[in-house]
């Protein structure tokens, strides 16, 4: 075996997988986004080049912008909600109280819960007539929640979905941060204590700065996950009421498999890709600035 | 000759298809021909005249999954057994596919050149697949059977595209008014016959009982759309355009249609259902009716059975009546057709198999099994349906029933939930009925114009 080719030979399995499963679909989506590709195209394999018309049509459609706004606002809300919840839980677990280990295992349950099953359970909990949420709210005296229809307006529907997403994603963040805490040497805290730092100082001046790289990676991951949420929304509202809880992933799917308009669906997917890249570039920018800055 | 030509085209069609076929060959009931019961043939004795051959072939049949898979398999084993009496060397591979993914599965299989020989199709998909050129012309086949006039009208209408038959009705159902007799008594009302009656009955129920009145829910096009007919409107009509072609033109923005939609959404606003019904579908409606929280609903016989299963007390309290109506009270006829695929390499054999499925011997049994009604007039006249007090209300309505416009775009309208969002917008108060229906008409016409 020629040594020059050996690395490629060893890389081949991974490369082939990446090429066929990631690179090819990405480029094919990019290609389809410039074509009129519908059910007749599926039949005949013939589709016509339409240039940028899918893009102009999408970008001038007010509904697309509503959906984009939903995706960004809802996605960011979920990212920050998840991070804050995860951080608080991680800090709590890090205090090593009695039973913290068991709690550490229990909080993993929502994370391993299948998204679809979780969506169905949450939809039931917030059912207007038979849901436990309205029952409990009414029991504590908030009688306006008797028969309250959570899924009647986009705002309340998104609220329920928000809590569901946070509930389902915070365990991963909490566990990751908890692992991060263990990497911080105790000597730093001891030194700070000698200088008279309290708990708040220790978290804001030591823990968080030390964990900044980890936090940024978690932010990126959460952003990717929360911007392409599909299953939970599909199960809980199917984008309703009146398409009020559409997000880009759902919109793209619906164009492809309900409208059989694969070209348009690809266009939306590409625009979603660009949007995600935009946010990721912002995060990476912050990360690099940190590295280039003065040493701690 | 014909067969040979078919074979050659078939071979040249695509290698993909051959590859796909060989994969499935193993599943077919290999044992079926040995088990073939000769006694039954003797009993039959009728039309099996010329038919029958030693030809070797494989047929692939796709059927939608049912609630009881084992019984369905048993049924098709028996059909195949019967088929193998005449065609002992043909293996039949029946696959059950879930309704939810069926449309997508069919589209991709057609695109990949591996469509089945026969498939069950939701009636609203029939025009769509016919327009794609995926289905085989069935005019001559049906004429051969002497069945030209043997089908339920509304179903034959959706199987017809460009004046050619591209599928045959198999089974279907209609929704009728289902009411709780006890709650009606409590409110002191009779079965409504017109929409004015319905409004009064609804008011009486919400004022005099603890129950809600009528399923004016957000997610059910089959509740809303027939009301457009009932108020004297149409969903779409075919008109000649400037080039002399017949095209569909939406009518849902016309005054009658808007009035019907307004009536429906007014029932919601009046409190005939709880606020949350903006997001109710048929399933929520069934649940509320089963809990006796709802005095009326619109449902099919299987729906009634499901509700009785959930609450056996209901059994003696259920009344069934024709839908209320002003200008008409036609129900929507929905169901399944069976179609032959253009890609099939054994169309003649497939047609023979299809003939068995719609024969009196088998079609009534399947209809009974699924809880629906046969798509053939002969099947529908079976005493099993025509002499049952409840079922005859439905079977009469089936003959008089109507289908949605047989446009290739219709399946897409349903997939896109085109008729859900506007109804919810009117219920939310974000649009008037006229505004919402203008939007729907515009979207329908956009789709029609690309057909």
């Amino acid at each position: 075996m020629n040594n020059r080719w050996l690395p490629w030979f060893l890389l081949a399995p991974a490369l082939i997988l990446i090429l066929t499963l990631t690179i090819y679909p990405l480029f094919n989506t990019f290609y389809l986004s410039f074509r009129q590709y519908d059910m007749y195209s599926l039949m005949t394999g013939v589709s016509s080049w339409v240039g940028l018309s899918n893009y102009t049509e999408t970008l001038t459609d007010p509904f697309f912008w509503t959906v984009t706004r939903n995706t960004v606002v809802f996605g960011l809300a979920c990212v920050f909600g998840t991070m804050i919840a995860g951080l608080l839980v991680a800090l709590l677990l890090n205090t090593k109280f009695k039973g913290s280990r068991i709690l550490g295992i229990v909080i993993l349950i929502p994370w391993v819960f299948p998204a679809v099953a979780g969506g169905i359970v949450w939809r039931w909990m917030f059912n207007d007539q038979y849901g436990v949420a309205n029952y409990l709210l009414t029991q504590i005296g908030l009688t306006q929640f008797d028969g309250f229809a959570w899924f009647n307006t986009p705002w309340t529907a998104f609220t329920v979905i928000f809590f569901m997403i946070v509930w389902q994603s915070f365990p991963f963040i909490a566990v990751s941060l908890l692992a991060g805490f263990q990497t911080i040497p105790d000597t730093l805290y001891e030194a700070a204590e000698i200088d008279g730092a309290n708990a708040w100082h220790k978290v804001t001046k030591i823990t968080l700065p030390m964990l900044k790289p980890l936090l940024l990676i978690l932010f990126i991951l959460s952003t990717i996950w929360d911007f392409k949420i599909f299953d939970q929304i599909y199960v809980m509202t199917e984008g309703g009421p009146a398409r009020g809880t559409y997000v880009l992933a759902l919109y793209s799917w619906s164009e492809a498999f309900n409208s059989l308009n694969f070209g348009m669906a690809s266009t939306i997917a590409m625009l979603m890709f660009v949007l995600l890249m935009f946010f990721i570039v912002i995060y990476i920018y912050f990360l690099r600035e940190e590295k280039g800055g003065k040493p701690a | 000759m014909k067969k040979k030509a078919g074979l050659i085209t078939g071979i040249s069609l695509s290698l993909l298809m051959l590859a796909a076929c060989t994969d499935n060959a193993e599943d077919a009931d290999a044992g079926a021909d040995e088990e073939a019961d000769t006694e039954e043939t003797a009993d039959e004795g009728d039309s099996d005249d010329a038919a029958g051959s030693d030809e070797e072939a494989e047929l692939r049949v796709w059927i939608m999954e049912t609630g009881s898979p084992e019984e369905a398999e048993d049924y098709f084993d028996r059909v195949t057994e019967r088929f193998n009496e005449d065609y002992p060397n043909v293996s039949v591979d029946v696959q059950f596919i879930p309704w939810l993914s069926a449309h997508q599965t069919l589209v991709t299989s057609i695109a990949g050149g591996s469509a089945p020989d026969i498939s069950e199709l939701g009636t609203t998909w029939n025009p769509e697949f016919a327009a794609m050129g995926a289905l085989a012309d069935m005019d001559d086949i049906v004429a051969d059977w002497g069945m030209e006039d043997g089908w339920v009208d509304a179903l034959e209408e959706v199987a017809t595209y460009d004046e050619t038959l591209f599928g045959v009705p198999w089974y279907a159902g209609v929704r009728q008014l289902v009411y709780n007799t006890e709650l009606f008594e409590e409110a002191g009302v009779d079965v409504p016959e017109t929409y004015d009656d319905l409004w009064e009955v609804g008011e009486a129920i919400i004022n005099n009982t603890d129950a809600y009145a009528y399923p004016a829910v957000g997610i059910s096009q089959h509740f809303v759309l027939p009301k457009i007919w009932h108020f004297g409107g149409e969903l779409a009509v075919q008109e000649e355009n400037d080039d002399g072609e017949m095209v569909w033109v939406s009518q849902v923005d016309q005054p009658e249609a808007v009035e019907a939609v307004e009536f429906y959404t007014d029932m919601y606003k009046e409190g005939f259902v709880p606020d949350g019904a903006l997001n109710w579908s048929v399933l929520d409606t069934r649940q509320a009716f089963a809990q006796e929280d709802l005095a009326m609903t619109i449902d099919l016989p299987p729906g009634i059975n499901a509700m009785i299963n959930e609450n056996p007390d209901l059994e003696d309290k259920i009344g069934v009546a024709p839908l209320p109506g002003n200008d008409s009270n036609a129900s929507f006829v929905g169901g399944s057709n069976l179609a032959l695929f253009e890609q099939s390499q054994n169309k003649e054999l497939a047609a023979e198999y299809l003939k068995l499925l719609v024969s009196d011997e088998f079609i009534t049994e399947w209809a009974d099994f699924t809880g629906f009604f046969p798509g053939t007039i002969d099947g529908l006249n079976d005493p099993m349906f025509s002499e049952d007090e409840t079922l005859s209300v439905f079977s009469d309505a089936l003959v008089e029933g109507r289908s949605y416009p047989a446009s290739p775009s219709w399946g897409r309208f349903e997939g896109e939930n085109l008729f859900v969002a506007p109804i919810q917008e009117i219920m939310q108060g974000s649009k008037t009925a006229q505004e919402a229906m203008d939007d729907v008409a515009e979207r329908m016409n956009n789709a029609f114009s690309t057909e």
Side-chain angles (χ1 to χ4, degrees):
Chain A
M1 179 74 60
N2 185 336
N3 266 351
R4 234 186 90 186
W5 293 108
L6 184 62
W8 288 107
F9 177 74
L10 294 174
L11 278 172
L15 275 181
I16 290 168
L17 269 182
I18 292 174
L19 283 174
T20 51
L21 296 178
T22 311
I23 309 290
Y24 168 74
L26 179 65
F27 279 93
N28 199 33
T29 308
F30 184 66
Y31 168 79
L32 284 182
S33 71
F34 295 102
R35 303 192 81 86
Q36 164 83 32
Y37 200 95
D38 52 24
M39 61 177 178
Y40 301 100
S41 318
L42 262 187
M43 266 287 287
T44 56
V46 178
S47 61
S48 55
W49 170 265
V50 292
L52 286 170
S53 86
N54 282 341
Y55 285 91
T56 48
E57 197 180 321
T58 306
L59 291 172
T60 52
D61 179 4
F63 184 63
F64 171 79
W65 291 106
T66 312
V67 175
T68 306
R69 189 201 62 203
N70 285 353
T71 310
V72 172
V73 174
F74 178 70
L76 287 179
C78 286
V79 169
F80 283 93
T82 310
M83 293 301 286
I84 291 168
L87 182 63
L88 292 178
V89 172
L91 287 171
L92 177 74
L93 291 177
N94 202 33
T95 55
K96 303 269 186 317
F97 56 93
K98 204 168 176 237
S100 68
R101 287 193 151 204
I102 293 173
L103 192 66
I105 294 165
V106 169
I107 61 147
L108 286 177
I109 291 175
W111 187 47
V112 297
F113 218 82
V116 171
I120 291 171
V121 170
W122 276 69
R123 193 181 64 193
W124 259 109
M125 293 195 328
F126 285 87
N127 181 289
D128 57 318
Q129 299 294 303
Y130 314 108
V132 67
N134 281 348
Y135 172 77
L136 291 177
L137 287 167
T138 316
Q139 287 297 303
I140 59 166
L142 299 168
T143 46
Q144 68 267 38
F145 285 104
D146 184 26
F148 184 77
W150 289 91
F151 298 110
N152 269 20
T153 66
W155 174 244
T156 48
F158 265 133
T159 307
V160 175
I161 302 169
F162 166 80
F163 281 113
M164 198 255 157
I165 302 278
V166 171
W167 170 79
Q168 200 155 48
S169 4
F170 85 86
F172 174 77
I173 306 291
V175 170
S176 305
L177 286 174
L178 193 56
F181 291 160
Q182 329 269 306
T183 64
I184 303 173
D186 287 342
T187 49
L188 286 179
Y189 293 108
E190 285 159 14
E193 255 168 60
I194 293 168
D195 290 342
N198 59 24
W200 174 252
H201 288 136
K202 280 195 265 179
V203 169
T204 54
K205 304 284 182 195
I206 300 173
T207 314
L208 290 183
M210 290 294 284
L211 289 181
K212 208 157 188 180
L214 177 64
L215 281 171
L216 282 165
I217 286 173
L218 292 177
F219 262 109
I220 292 177
L221 284 176
S222 295
T223 307
I224 293 174
W225 290 333
D226 292 346
F227 273 54
K228 57 191 188 89
I229 277 170
F230 174 84
D231 7 18
Q232 289 93 340
I233 295 185
Y234 179 75
V235 169
M236 286 167 82
T237 66
E238 259 189 83
R243 303 205 292 172
T245 52
Y246 260 56
V247 289
L248 286 173
L250 195 65
Y251 190 29
S252 169
W253 169 84
S254 166
E255 280 293 321
F257 293 106
N258 289 336
S259 311
L260 296 176
N261 197 343
F262 297 93
M264 197 62 93
S266 303
T267 305
I268 296 168
M270 288 314 295
L271 291 169
M272 192 173 145
F273 178 73
V274 171
L275 183 74
L276 261 177
M277 288 310 285
F278 171 74
F279 278 93
I280 288 170
V281 164
I282 290 182
Y283 291 138
I284 290 175
Y285 173 78
F286 279 119
L287 185 70
R288 292 183 64 166
E289 195 182 46
E290 181 63 23
K291 271 187 180 161
K294 48 191 179 205
Chain B
M1 269 314 277
K2 214 177 173 185
K3 224 170 260 173
K4 211 175 215 171
L7 206 65
I8 293 164
T9 3
I11 290 169
S12 60
L13 251 179
S14 90
L15 285 167
L16 246 181
M17 184 162 175
L18 290 176
C21 286
T22 41
D23 277 349
N24 298 329
E26 312 280 47
D27 304 313
D29 343 320
D33 22 358
E34 283 105 347
E35 285 165 32
D37 189 343
T38 36
E39 272 178 2
E40 223 174 283
T41 337
D43 288 344
E44 263 313 296
D46 52 27
S47 60
D48 305 315
D49 38 271
S53 82
D54 295 337
E55 199 177 338
E56 276 189 40
E58 200 218 324
L59 291 180
R60 289 160 65 231
V61 181
W62 287 6
I63 302 296
M64 304 300 158
E65 268 178 11
T66 61
S68 28
E70 280 168 23
E71 280 179 65
E73 265 176 49
D74 173 66
Y75 172 88
F76 277 95
D77 283 350
R78 280 184 289 121
V79 178
T80 302
E81 211 171 281
R82 179 74 190 70
F83 182 71
N84 283 141
E85 287 169 17
D86 296 330
Y87 302 94
N89 297 325
V90 178
S91 64
V92 182
D93 173 24
V94 180
Q95 285 193 12
F96 296 92
I97 54 177
W99 266 111
L100 269 181
S101 59
H103 189 269
Q104 210 171 314
T105 312
L106 280 165
V107 170
T108 28
S109 75
I110 294 165
S114 58
D117 297 284
I118 299 175
S119 178
E120 175 180 356
L121 295 179
T123 43
T124 48
W125 309 344
N126 209 142
E128 181 185 342
F129 285 113
M132 281 166 89
L135 306 179
D137 177 347
M138 296 203 54
D139 276 337
D140 295 339
I141 297 169
V142 167
D144 247 16
W145 300 345
M147 289 279 288
E148 294 100 321
D149 300 319
W151 316 104
V152 170
D153 281 347
L155 292 167
E156 191 181 353
E157 200 180 298
V158 282
T160 308
Y161 181 74
D162 259 353
E163 294 172 25
T164 308
L165 197 63
F166 283 104
V168 293
W170 192 21
Y171 64 86
V174 283
R175 290 168 179 78
Q176 291 292 61
L177 186 73
V178 180
Y179 60 98
N180 184 314
T181 49
E182 199 175 76
L183 287 169
F184 265 47
E185 237 165 75
E186 199 183 324
V189 290
D190 292 325
V191 178
E193 284 173 12
T194 65
Y195 280 103
D196 286 342
D197 291 352
L198 180 64
W199 189 268
E200 280 169 27
V201 168
E203 290 281 352
I205 288 165
I206 51 174
N207 291 334
N208 303 329
T209 72
D210 289 337
Y212 289 100
Y214 186 85
V217 302
I219 308 177
S220 182
Q221 58 166 350
H222 301 314
F223 292 177
V224 187
L225 296 184
K227 290 191 172 55
I228 293 178
W229 299 327
H230 301 168
F231 278 76
E234 286 293 332
L235 302 174
V237 293
Q238 276 192 304
E239 282 174 9
E240 206 169 315
N241 70 2
D242 298 338
D243 304 329
E245 291 164 6
M246 295 301 278
V247 289
W248 287 98
V249 180
S250 176
Q251 300 289 304
V252 298
D253 53 351
Q254 298 302 305
E256 296 87 357
V258 173
E259 195 192 349
V261 169
E262 211 156 31
F263 183 89
Y264 184 80
T265 48
D266 279 350
M267 290 194 288
Y268 168 79
K269 291 177 183 165
E270 185 73 9
F272 283 17
V273 261
D275 273 352
L278 187 131
N279 274 307
W280 279 16
S281 67
V282 182
L283 293 179
D284 303 288
T285 307
R286 272 183 199 153
Q287 175 134 24
F289 190 88
Q291 312 268 353
E292 303 195 48
D293 287 337
L294 185 66
M296 284 179 269
T297 188
I298 300 171
D299 218 324
L300 303 149
I304 299 179
N305 294 338
M307 293 189 290
I308 293 174
N309 271 339
E310 189 160 329
N311 177 9
D313 290 348
L314 215 56
E315 179 135 34
D316 306 321
K317 300 181 196 166
I318 282 192
V320 177
L323 296 176
N326 294 347
D327 287 29
S328 100
N329 70 343
S331 306
F332 160 65
V333 178
S336 277
N337 291 348
L338 288 166
L340 287 182
F341 279 77
E342 192 59 30
Q343 286 172 2
S344 165
Q345 297 175 48
N346 296 301
K347 288 203 192 75
E348 286 170 31
L349 284 173
E352 288 301 314
Y353 194 81
L354 201 57
K355 186 181 171 189
L356 267 187
L357 288 176
V358 296
S359 67
D360 294 351
E361 182 184 352
F362 286 112
I363 199 171
T364 45
E365 188 189 335
W366 185 256
D368 183 45
F369 167 65
T370 54
F372 287 91
F373 297 89
T376 59
I377 299 290
D378 282 349
L380 209 54
N381 286 333
D382 191 284
M384 190 197 302
F385 308 109
S386 58
E387 283 172 19
D388 182 286
E389 195 188 331
T390 308
L391 292 182
S392 61
V393 177
F394 289 94
S395 64
D396 290 349
L398 190 67
V399 178
E400 302 294 321
R402 297 190 58 179
S403 58
Y404 295 145
S407 142
S409 303
W410 197 271
R412 205 171 99 195
F413 295 161
E414 296 190 352
E416 285 176 348
N417 283 332
L418 179 65
F419 304 103
V420 172
I423 297 297
Q424 291 181 324
E425 283 166 343
I426 306 168
M427 288 175 170
Q428 285 173 334
S430 59
K431 277 187 187 161
T432 67
Q434 184 70 55
E435 285 165 355
M437 296 323 277
D438 283 346
D439 288 351
V440 179
E442 193 189 321
R443 293 183 64 183
M444 284 171 76
N445 287 332
N446 281 342
F448 290 148
S449 70
T450 60
E451 276 169 13

